[in-house]
């Protein structure tokens, strides 16, 4: 599904392309430069640094071209939308971080309730469906699939 | 004759109860995923890969499950196109043009029935094509050496995305980025660590599956958070899907043409189902001229793109299985599944794992019949699922993705990789840079480098080995021709859009 299909109109000010071009060009140069550290003891016609460098050349050239001749971009998010996206990343990042130290059940419970809230459900709906989702996932993975999930420290579940 | 024997053997495998059951589950889940707006074949299949791993399935069974999902999504995409005027996935975009007007006139059921038959014919034509042509391609490719393989990878990158996205620069940038990301990890030939920056989690390279789920599923959620589609609940009576069978007979020539066009579009590298449905709709419109009433609910406007996109989906499996070069986003993900199971598709796959290849082909034939049954009498059931609230749907998707990816390696690091690729995928979409070439680069980079280095060590460092055989020169010429065709097509598209 392209962003175009979801209704966001392309905007003509393609500042994003210029920034992306600059970032990618820098990346290509840095990757090329870093490739000099790939030294192996073997004598081969082609070392481990050749292929990455070979990729960096067109990547860098095309990125520079994109910087000078940008194309169309979709509209970038602003205000509330941006906040909600940041919220999603914070919730998911936190979930990934706490999954092992808290254990699956508490981490997923908090994560799913917050997630459902982020998608505009009322607290009641979020709590009810968060709890059921957590339990279903736990039963599915732990028992139906037999995959151990991180346990709550000291409790063994 | 050989093919028939192999195919019969394949049916024996596909008809094993477990595989039959998986095909059925795959078809139903696929139809569901395809029907839900926002989840298409690419992110649907990406999402289910970690689950397929966790089921502990054999490679054959996992492939049957996911390919059934893939075929199912192609069927399902049309449901929300017709009922809600929202394409369930990108290839179903063209189906909205005449499908929704038909639904407004109270002929929604007929449109659903007709499109199911068209999908069935398209997919069956493609599966027959797969049966006939894949072995031919394999017979040809078996003679390829490392230099020819390198040329083949160049062909894949020269053409992927270029045709559909219209911007060659951006497709190539995406491919380059993917190839560069693909070199992260320990170099398999020498053990030198590349771009790992001391993170031992990266020594094995970036996990394909975490990256894929991030690029497609997580970025989709980010996109949805910003632009929530209003749920246009329709109160239209759908009516029975049975009259669709009758109108399918009337549309038979359209369905036949759409299937053939779609199949060809699918086999070509870099095209895929979206192009298949687009071309078959546009060419059918052109073919019928004033005899058609396209855009106002002409049944042929539903039949053509649905035959086209399903045929293209099947056609795209040919280069993936026989050459190891995927022609579309979803087949790239199927390739990721195979690579993660230590199976390298290509000509050798047909020799070493005939059970898997032919079992899969037979499963496709069976799955198609299941899909037809699921999608004509039971289509109302799927249409009802469209009313599921989105506040529940997306969190479920994200959590399944999270737990699935986590349990692949029991690694929280993979979750961060997935999130990072989610952000990358989102930014790429905003920049109109296609993500499929990134995936291809990530997947094929290792093989491409391996073949390049092998060719170079055979020649002792002489670059001319890359163009020393007729086959490789032929492949480069073919790549150039396809690129030229892509440019021409982009120009034609622009003119067509201006005229619309």
């Amino acid at each position: 599904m392209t962003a175009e299909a979801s209704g966001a109109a392309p905007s003509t000010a393609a500042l994003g392309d210029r920034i992306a071009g600059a970032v990618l060009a820098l990346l290509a140069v840095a990757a090329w430069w870093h490739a000099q550290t790939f030294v192996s003891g073997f004598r081969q016609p082609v070392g481990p640094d050749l292929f990455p460098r070979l990729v960096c050349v067109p990547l860098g050239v095309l990125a520079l071209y994109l910087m000078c001749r940008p194309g169309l971009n979709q509209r970038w998010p602003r205000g509330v939308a941006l906040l909600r996206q940041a919220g999603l990343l914070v919730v998911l990042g936190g979930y990934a971080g706490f999954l092992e130290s808290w254990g699956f059940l508490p981490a997923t419970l908090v994560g799913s309730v917050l997630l459902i809230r982020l998608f505009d459900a009322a607290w009641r709906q979020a709590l009810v469906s968060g709890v059921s989702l957590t339990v279903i996932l736990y039963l599915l993975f732990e028992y139906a699939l037999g995959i151990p999930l991180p346990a709550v420290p000291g409790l063994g579940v | 004759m050989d093919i028939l024997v192999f195919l019969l053997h394949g049916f024996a495998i596909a008809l094993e109860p477990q595989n039959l059951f998986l095909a059925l589950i795959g078809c139903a889940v696929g139809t569901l995923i395809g029907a839900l707006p926002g989840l298409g074949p690419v992110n649907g299949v990406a999402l289910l890969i970690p689950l397929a791993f966790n089921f502990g399935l054999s490679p054959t069974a996992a492939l049957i499950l996911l390919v059934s999902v893939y075929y199912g999504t192609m069927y399902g995409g049309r449901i929300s196109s017709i009922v809600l005027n929202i394409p369930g996935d990108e290839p179903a975009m063209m189906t909205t043009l005449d499908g929704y007007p038909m639904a407004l006139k109270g002929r929604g059921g007929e449109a659903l029935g007709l499109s199911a038959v068209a999908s069935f014919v398209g997919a069956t034509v493609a599966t027959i094509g797969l049966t006939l042509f894949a072995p031919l391609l394999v017979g040809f490719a078996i003679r390829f050496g490392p230099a020819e393989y390198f040329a083949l990878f160049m062909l894949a990158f020269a053409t992927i995305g270029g045709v559909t996205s219209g911007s060659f620069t951006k497709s190539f940038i995406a491919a380059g980025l993917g190839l560069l990301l693909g070199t992260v990890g320990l170099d398999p030939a020498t053990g030198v660590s590349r771009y790992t920056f001391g993170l031992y989690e990266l020594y094995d390279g970036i996990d394909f599956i975490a990256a894929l789920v991030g690029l497609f599923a997580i970025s989709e959620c980010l996109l949805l958070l910003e632009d929530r589609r209003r749920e246009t609940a329709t109160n239209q009576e759908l009516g029975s899907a049975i009259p669709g069978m009758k109108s399918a007979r009337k549309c038979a020539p359209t369905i036949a043409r759409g299937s053939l066009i779609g199949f060809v579009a699918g086999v070509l590298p870099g095209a895929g189902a979206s192009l298949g449905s687009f071309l078959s709709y546009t060419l059918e419109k052109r073919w019928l001229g004033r005899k058609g009433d396209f855009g106002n609910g002409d049944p042929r406007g539903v039949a053509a793109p649905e035959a086209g996109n399903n045929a293209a989906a099947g056609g795209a499996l040919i280069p993936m299985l026989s050459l190891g070069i995927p022609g579309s986003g979803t087949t790239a993900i199927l390739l990721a599944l195979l690579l993660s199971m230590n199976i390298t598709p290509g000509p050798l796959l047909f020799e070493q794992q005939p059970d898997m290849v032919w079992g899969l082909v037979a499963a496709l034939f069976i799955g198609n019949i299941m899909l037809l049954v699921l999608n004509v009498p039971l289509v109302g059931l799927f249409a009802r699922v469209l009313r599921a609230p989105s506040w529940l749907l997306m969190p479920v998707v994200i959590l399944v993705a999270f737990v699935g990816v986590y349990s692949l390696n029991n690694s929280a690091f993979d979750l961060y990789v997935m999130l990072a690729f989610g952000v990358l995928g989102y930014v790429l979409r905003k920049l109109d840079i296609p993500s499929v070439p990134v995936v291809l680069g990530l997947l094929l980079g290792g093989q491409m480098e391996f073949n390049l280095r092998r060719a170079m060590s055979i020649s002792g460092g002489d670059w001319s080995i890359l163009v020393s055989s007729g086959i490789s020169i032929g492949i480069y010429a073919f790549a150039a021709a396809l690129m030229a065709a892509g440019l021409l097509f982009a120009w034609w598209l622009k003119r067509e859009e201006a005229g619309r």
Side-chain angles (χ1 to χ4, degrees):
Chain A
M1 170 79 49
T2 59
E4 207 176 320
S6 63
S11 84
T12 39
L15 185 63
D17 268 8
R18 291 191 197 272
I19 297 173
V23 170
L24 287 167
L26 272 178
L27 177 78
V29 171
W32 167 280
W33 184 78
H34 188 69
Q36 68 183 349
T37 63
F38 305 160
V39 190
S40 76
F42 303 98
R43 288 287 307 149
Q44 289 178 310
V46 170
D49 60 325
L50 178 93
F51 188 74
R53 285 192 159 164
L54 221 50
V55 174
C56 286
V57 175
L59 181 63
V61 171
L62 288 170
L64 283 179
Y65 178 82
L66 185 67
M67 202 168 85
C68 305
R69 299 273 315 269
L72 293 179
N73 284 175
Q74 307 290 331
R75 190 165 293 145
W76 293 90
R78 264 182 235 157
V80 185
L82 199 60
L83 271 180
R84 285 153 50 106
Q85 289 169 330
L88 179 73
L89 293 178
V90 169
V91 170
L92 293 181
Y95 181 50
F98 287 113
L99 183 62
E100 281 170 341
S101 53
W102 286 10
F104 176 81
L105 284 174
T108 309
L109 187 65
V110 175
S112 61
V113 170
L114 290 178
L115 263 183
I116 296 171
R117 274 290 296 170
L118 259 182
F119 280 89
D120 267 0
W123 274 112
R124 230 182 100 89
Q125 288 170 320
L127 279 172
V128 172
S129 32
V131 169
S132 18
L133 196 55
T134 306
V135 172
I136 293 172
L137 278 177
Y138 181 75
L139 294 177
L140 177 71
F141 276 83
E142 193 82 28
Y143 294 103
L145 298 176
I147 292 159
L149 293 166
V152 182
L155 283 180
V157 282
Chain B
M1 230 14 242
D2 276 358
I3 292 180
L4 211 59
V5 175
F6 280 129
L7 193 60
L8 278 178
H9 184 60
F11 270 102
I13 292 164
L15 287 170
E16 281 169 20
Q18 188 209 13
N19 291 340
L20 211 55
F21 179 68
L22 286 172
L24 182 65
I25 296 281
C27 290
V29 171
T31 309
L32 200 64
I33 289 178
L36 294 167
L39 285 180
V42 181
N43 36 35
V45 177
L47 198 65
L48 287 174
I49 281 197
L51 282 183
F53 265 94
N54 288 327
F55 281 129
L57 298 175
S58 73
T60 310
L63 201 59
I64 287 179
L65 175 69
L66 288 179
V67 175
S68 307
V69 172
Y70 173 42
Y71 265 36
T73 54
M74 302 306 297
Y75 273 74
R78 77 195 206 286
I79 299 177
S80 56
S81 295
I82 292 170
V83 179
L84 302 179
N85 200 22
I86 300 170
D89 49 40
E90 204 184 329
M93 203 114 76
M94 306 307 287
T95 311
T96 56
L97 298 179
D98 281 280
Y100 187 62
M102 274 183 87
L104 286 181
K105 290 177 187 165
R107 295 168 70 193
E110 184 191 338
L112 286 171
L114 166 64
S115 52
V117 177
S119 298
F120 174 76
V121 176
T124 305
V125 165
T127 313
I128 294 173
L130 172 66
T131 315
L132 296 178
F133 292 121
L136 281 183
L137 205 53
V138 164
F140 179 62
I142 205 95
R143 287 174 293 177
F144 285 13
E148 285 77 19
Y149 265 107
F150 184 75
L152 207 57
F153 289 117
M154 293 295 279
L155 167 74
F157 286 110
T159 50
I160 191 80
V163 180
T164 34
S165 79
S167 166
F168 278 98
T169 315
K170 289 186 171 177
S171 302
F172 288 148
I173 285 180
L177 186 62
L179 284 171
L180 201 57
L181 288 170
T183 61
V184 171
L186 296 183
D187 170 33
T190 59
V192 171
S193 93
R194 299 190 288 192
Y195 308 118
T196 54
F197 306 104
L199 289 170
Y200 73 90
E201 288 97 337
L202 284 177
Y203 281 4
D204 274 341
I206 293 171
D207 190 275
F208 294 149
I209 297 189
L212 284 176
V213 176
L215 267 180
F216 295 111
I218 299 293
S219 71
E220 186 71 49
C221 291
L222 284 170
L223 210 60
L224 273 178
L225 266 182
E226 147 193 337
D227 170 57
R228 272 156 306 145
R229 267 159 272 187
R230 288 143 297 283
E231 277 146 68
T232 43
T234 47
N235 300 318
Q236 249 68 254
E237 261 311 304
L238 278 179
S240 161
I242 305 300
M245 309 294 250
K246 212 197 233 162
S247 60
R249 210 173 311 138
K250 261 186 254 166
C251 295
T254 300
I255 294 176
R257 283 191 289 268
S259 302
L260 287 180
I261 295 167
F263 178 68
V264 174
V267 178
L268 289 178
S274 301
L275 183 73
S277 68
F278 175 81
L279 273 185
S280 41
Y281 183 89
T282 318
L283 292 179
E284 188 65 22
K285 191 173 160 187
R286 183 67 54 92
W287 174 277
L288 288 173
R290 295 226 177 130
K291 277 184 281 176
D293 189 20
F294 279 47
N296 296 316
D298 189 319
R300 286 167 296 195
V302 174
E306 278 306 311
N309 70 28
N310 283 275
L317 287 173
I318 294 180
M320 196 279 276
L321 286 173
S322 55
L323 301 175
I325 308 267
S328 67
T330 321
T331 45
I333 292 176
L334 295 171
L335 178 69
L337 170 81
L338 290 174
L339 291 178
S340 303
M341 290 182 153
N342 285 323
I343 292 167
T344 312
L348 289 179
L349 183 71
F350 281 69
E351 282 194 354
Q352 291 165 353
Q353 313 244 17
D355 283 11
M356 175 190 216
V357 174
W358 294 103
L360 173 70
V361 173
L364 289 177
F365 280 111
I366 298 170
N368 240 328
I369 295 171
M370 289 177 176
L371 279 166
L372 185 65
V373 174
L374 281 174
N375 277 280
V376 177
L378 299 180
V379 72
L381 217 63
F382 289 108
R384 206 166 303 152
V385 177
L386 294 180
R387 306 206 170 118
S390 65
W391 57 260
L392 184 60
L393 188 67
M394 280 337 229
V396 170
V397 166
I398 297 176
L399 281 177
V400 169
F402 248 71
V403 184
V405 165
Y406 173 79
S407 47
L408 287 179
N409 301 318
N410 282 328
S411 142
F413 183 80
D414 283 351
L415 294 179
Y416 293 120
V417 169
M418 179 172 87
L419 280 182
F421 272 86
V423 175
L424 176 69
Y426 174 79
V427 172
L428 290 180
R429 286 193 203 204
K430 285 287 164 186
L431 294 168
D432 257 354
I433 296 179
S435 352
V436 171
V438 179
V439 173
L440 275 187
L442 200 58
L443 288 177
L444 301 181
Q447 290 277 329
M448 190 171 174
E449 181 178 11
F450 171 76
N451 281 296
L452 174 67
R453 284 161 83 167
R454 239 181 61 190
M456 294 304 275
S457 52
I458 291 171
S459 71
D462 182 3
W463 287 89
S464 66
I465 188 173
L466 295 178
V467 287
S468 62
S469 82
I471 296 179
S472 39
I473 294 172
I475 293 173
Y476 288 120
F478 185 53
L482 278 178
M483 270 177 76
L487 281 173
L488 262 177
F489 180 72
W491 173 79
W492 179 71
L493 202 68
K494 216 173 259 171
R495 223 188 47 167
E496 195 77 358
E497 261 168 18
R500 202 185 274 171

